[in-house]
Amino acid sequence: MAILLAGAPDPDQAAHALLAPLAADHVAALLPELGEQRMRAGLLRLARSTG
């Protein structure tokens, strides 16, 4: 994303500013389908695997 926003004064910040609300909307849309417990478990697995 930062490559696409390379012309912006701060491409990394612009990428985060664009992607953060999209990610939040995505989680909100999936929450009713997957449930809070499954969402939390998946996020914890992901966090543990990247550390």
Side-chain angles (χ1 to χ4, degrees), residues 1-11 14:
M1 186 58 69
I3 292 170
L4 295 173
L5 298 169
D10 186 348

Side-chain angles (χ1 to χ4, degrees), residues 6 9 16 19 24 31-32 34 37 41 50:
H16 287 288
L19 293 174
L31 191 56
L34 298 179
Q37 185 176 13
T50 61

Side-chain angles (χ1 to χ4, degrees), residues 2-43:
I3 292 170
L4 295 173
L5 298 169
D10 186 348
D12 289 334
Q13 183 279 330
H16 287 288
L18 176 65
L19 293 174
L22 293 174
D25 285 347
H26 185 70
V27 168
L30 284 178
L31 191 56
E33 182 180 335
L34 298 179
E36 185 177 336
Q37 185 176 13
R38 187 172 173 198
M39 290 286 289
R40 285 181 186 274
L43 289 170

